[in-house]
Amino acid sequence: MRGGGGLSAWVILLVAVMLAALAVQCVTSLVTETATLDELQFIGRGISHLMIGTAVWGPFLIGDHHAPLPFMFSAAPLLFTRGIQYPPCEAEWLHSGIWRFGRYFFFDLNMGRAEGMVNRCRCMTVLFSLLLALLVFHFARKLHGTGAGLFALFLQVFSPTVLAFSRYAVDPVYTAFFILLAVCAFHDYMRNPTARTLVFAGAAFGLAQLAKFSATLLIPCFVVLAAMDNVREGGSRGLVGRLGGLALVFALGYLVVWAGYGFTTGSLSDVRIAEHFIGGRGAEWEFPDAARLSPAMFHPGRIPLVPYVRGLWELWRHNRMGHPAFLMGEVSRNGWWYYYIVAFCIKSPIPLLALLAMTVLLHRKFERGERPGDAYLIVPLCVTFGISLMSRQALGLRHIFVTYPLLHIYLSGVVTVRPSGAAARVLLRLCLAALCAWYLRGTVRIRPHYLAYFNEFIGGPKNGYKYLVDSNLDWGQDLKGVKGYMAEHHIDHILFEHAGFSAFARYYGIDYERLSDRLSRARSPEEAHIKGVVMVSATARADLWDPERRLYNWISRYEPVDSIGYSILVYRF
């Protein structure tokens, strides 16, 4: 039965229980982890947008390839927090660059409160994760019925990947929510083309663009979906009418985008200005800081959406340049076409992959035969994975995070299967129950280290550092665990190399010497006289930024004796 009527009291209770489970898992685990590498600049960018408004669209966003909406939502709780110290003059807001500003805002001005501030901002992400879970339930119920909605909600609430990014003040959850909202709204418009559904579809499309520049992929998705609907319905509404509706959705959407940028205007000559600026200075990875020192480069103009177009240009330029990444012991600046396929296969629970195989095999046995609504899930999934094969930015599973809620909704349709024969029906239900139990067990066992989840294909999270790093495993979140480990094992001093912030290491009272400093002062690791306890985070071990990979070539010869949160490896010499 498709969703359409009201919800029974039991269904409402089950939804409430699962949402509560999601909130409890997120809140009780987020307080155990240190601020990740990207959170401080994300929050810093957001608070600057909220405090000084359109002044940031010029100098603050030059060379930036991130859309603003998630950052503003992330930083919003700080507006209601008393006692926070802000930069005293506008120059310190605008001319320091996002990374430097984030460190200055938290470590120089608010170090004593930095941890609490970050946790407040993380709670906003938890709120949006709850909204995303509700949207997953709603869309699955609309497509496949109430039972499927509950099943999709279960998959969403207990997904280790969803839980991992639902606890940090970063953008994957916000992006997934607004993209899924846009897909759901466009589905409603295609099924019931009224003024109300048109406005909602356009607004949702615009919000998705403000959440992530890669949401431009919705444009080809919507075009394909509209064409598929037209073919399936035999042109009953007419191709011209569908194209006109699409144009209105996109027009309304970009009007929302312009409003999101404060209706600012500019000159198209500014679009490529960051590339020219850094090209003359030869500091390609310093462009966010260096370029913002010269706000006078901007030209007046009356063209709308220039900051948005500049962001798209910078996203394309960044992808063209590539970015150092790690996969299965190798480092590449150009990525691997199969990177996201490998990441998805080893970081997704095996029961989820089994459900995917089962759903594909049983597709023809779905209730009521063909399910046209599934195209609104399959097309975005295929486009997202297709584009990932061409990407040179192998930066982590978070960049295709939206595939998980889409996949959960698609897989929920398996509960509508009605095999012929009582034995087949019982067998199917037993298989689903066993997969759900396995799925739940894996998530419970990894708590609270959800970011470090790896499935049994590679031996679980203890082997994750051999395959993936950065936001797949080690984002600098386990510094608290280092201090606790040292206290538990009566360790006073360590050699340490990590991917987090040294200011937080000092804040937690970790007494350490940088391993890279010790190695750089010696002609060989043997001359460095390394003894005692050595801790190396997985991302630092990968040596992404050292062409010779000296640390990796040395430390990879040894096996760690322990780990902290699976992301920090412990060695004893």
Side-chain angles (χ1 to χ4, degrees):
M1 185 177 99
R2 297 294 184 272
L7 296 175
S8 69
W10 281 108
V11 171
I12 294 174
L13 179 61
L14 285 172
V15 170
V17 168
M18 283 195 275
L19 291 178
L22 174 60
V24 169
Q25 290 176 98
C26 291
V27 174
T28 57
S29 60
L30 71 83
V31 296
T32 67
E33 297 188 339
T34 322
T36 60
L37 280 172
D38 283 354
E39 283 183 287
L40 300 192
Q41 59 99 351
F42 273 41
I43 299 170
R45 183 187 298 139
I47 198 67
S48 69
H49 295 343
L50 294 171
M51 294 291 289
I52 59 176
T54 56
V56 304
W57 300 128
F60 200 80
L61 282 189
I62 187 169
D64 193 32
H65 44 273
H66 291 287
L69 200 59
F71 312 119
M72 292 191 285
F73 277 120
S74 293
L78 298 185
L79 297 179
F80 307 97
T81 304
R82 295 181 179 180
I84 293 178
Q85 300 297 314
Y86 295 102
C89 65
E90 188 175 273
E92 292 185 53
W93 288 90
L94 296 178
H95 300 169
S96 59
I98 53 175
W99 288 94
R100 190 174 297 124
F101 175 78
R103 293 193 294 268
Y104 172 64
F105 180 56
F106 282 94
F107 296 146
D108 295 338
L109 297 180
N110 298 287
M111 187 63 208
R113 307 189 60 183
E115 184 178 351
M117 290 164 59
V118 170
N119 286 341
R120 283 174 180 259
C121 296
R122 287 173 169 178
C123 288
M124 183 62 79
T125 312
V126 176
L127 174 61
F128 267 83
S129 185
L130 293 171
L131 294 175
L132 175 60
L134 270 176
L135 185 57
V136 166
F137 168 75
H138 168 75
F139 200 17
R141 179 173 178 263
K142 182 189 292 288
L143 295 179
H144 308 140
T146 300
L150 291 172
F151 188 61
L153 182 60
F154 170 83
L155 295 176
Q156 181 77 8
V157 164
F158 294 105
S159 165
T161 303
V162 170
L163 288 168
F165 295 108
S166 294
R167 304 163 309 127
Y168 302 133
V170 289
D171 61 347
V173 169
Y174 297 97
T175 301
F177 172 77
F178 286 111
I179 288 179
L180 185 58
L181 183 67
V183 172
C184 184
F186 187 68
H187 170 270
D188 290 349
Y189 172 64
M190 287 288 101
R191 293 293 172 269
N192 181 29
T194 65
R196 182 183 65 83
T197 56
L198 171 65
V199 170
F200 187 41
F205 173 80
L207 290 173
Q209 307 309 309
L210 287 169
K212 194 77 170 179
F213 287 127
S214 59
T216 51
L217 295 178
L218 288 175
I219 296 176
C221 288
F222 286 3
V223 171
V224 170
L225 289 169
M228 291 175 66
D229 279 356
N230 191 73
V231 170
R232 183 168 49 248
E233 296 178 8
S236 58
R237 282 175 50 207
L239 181 60
V240 174
R242 290 184 185 277
L243 292 176
L246 265 178
L248 286 173
V249 168
F250 295 150
L252 288 171
Y254 281 108
L255 182 61
V256 170
V257 174
W258 192 22
Y261 280 94
F263 294 107
T264 55
T265 58
S267 170
L268 288 178
S269 61
D270 289 346
V271 170
R272 300 180 62 175
I273 199 167
E275 185 173 22
H276 297 313
F277 184 86
I278 63 174
R281 287 157 179 78
E284 60 183 3
W285 288 109
E286 294 299 322
F287 70 83
D289 296 323
R292 291 185 185 104
L293 296 175
S294 300
M297 293 185 301
F298 290 91
H299 305 90
R302 297 189 178 184
I303 305 297
L305 295 172
V306 168
Y308 172 78
V309 176
R310 188 170 63 231
L312 289 174
W313 172 264
E314 286 305 318
L315 178 65
W316 176 84
R317 194 184 67 83
H318 191 194
N319 183 67
R320 185 187 63 187
M321 288 168 55
H323 193 97
F326 176 90
L327 179 66
M328 296 185 290
E330 297 182 0
V331 168
S332 172
R333 192 186 185 95
N334 298 319
W336 304 263
W337 69 266
Y338 51 85
Y339 175 89
Y340 287 102
I341 297 176
V342 172
F344 180 81
C345 288
I346 66 178
K347 282 193 67 68
S348 298
I350 293 178
L352 189 76
L353 302 177
L355 277 170
L356 177 58
M358 181 186 298
T359 303
V360 172
L361 290 173
L362 296 175
H363 181 78
R364 293 188 178 276
K365 295 185 178 295
F366 285 150
E367 187 182 53
R368 298 189 183 182
E370 183 185 1
R371 301 183 305 176
D374 278 352
Y376 287 80
L377 309 170
I378 295 172
V379 170
L381 280 169
C382 291
V383 170
T384 300
F385 268 106
I387 294 298
S388 75
L389 301 182
M390 298 181 287
S391 176
R392 299 178 68 183
Q393 295 188 54
L395 297 179
L397 202 59
R398 62 192 171 103
H399 285 272
I400 59 167
F401 176 82
V402 69
T403 61
Y404 283 91
L406 289 168
L407 192 60
H408 296 158
I409 298 170
Y410 173 66
L411 296 181
S412 69
V414 76
V415 304
T416 67
V417 173
R418 299 291 184 268
S420 58
R425 287 195 293 271
V426 171
L427 180 60
L428 177 61
R429 297 297 176 254
L430 287 176
C431 287
L432 289 176
L435 290 175
C436 287
W438 185 1
Y439 188 82
L440 182 60
R441 177 176 178 268
T443 301
V444 171
R445 289 187 66 184
I446 196 64
R447 184 188 181 279
H449 308 296
Y450 301 112
L451 190 65
Y453 179 85
F454 287 84
N455 64 34
E456 293 85 345
F457 283 150
I458 64 164
K462 66 180 181 180
N463 293 324
Y465 71 94
K466 301 175 183 178
Y467 295 84
L468 296 167
V469 297
D470 199 24
S471 60
N472 295 302
L473 169 62
D474 169 35
W475 225 353
Q477 75 274 12
D478 282 318
L479 283 178
K480 282 186 182 180
V482 171
K483 183 60 178 177
Y485 187 93
M486 292 175 67
E488 181 181 351
H489 292 82
H490 308 289
I491 301 171
D492 297 324
H493 180 82
I494 58 173
L495 279 171
F496 191 26
E497 196 69 30
H498 67 105
F501 292 103
S502 57
F504 267 139
R506 293 192 300 270
Y507 176 77
Y508 292 117
I510 300 172
D511 184 9
Y512 74 97
E513 177 187 354
R514 287 194 64 182
L515 177 60
S516 57
D517 291 344
R518 174 76 70 87
L519 291 172
S520 65
R521 292 194 296 266
R523 288 177 294 182
S524 68
E526 290 73 24
E527 289 188 8
H529 302 295
I530 295 173
K531 298 179 180 179
V533 178
V534 175
M535 296 187 187
V536 181
S537 74
T539 302
R541 176 185 178 275
D543 250 1
L544 299 178
W545 300 97
D546 180 2
E548 299 178 10
R549 301 189 71 195
R550 288 164 292 187
L551 176 60
Y552 176 82
N553 290 334
W554 172 69
I555 200 70
S556 61
R557 292 180 291 175
Y558 304 94
E559 288 294 321
V561 298
D562 205 350
S563 70
I564 299 167
Y566 303 104
S567 75
I568 296 179
L569 310 174
V570 181
Y571 300 82
R572 288 184 181 270
F573 294 91

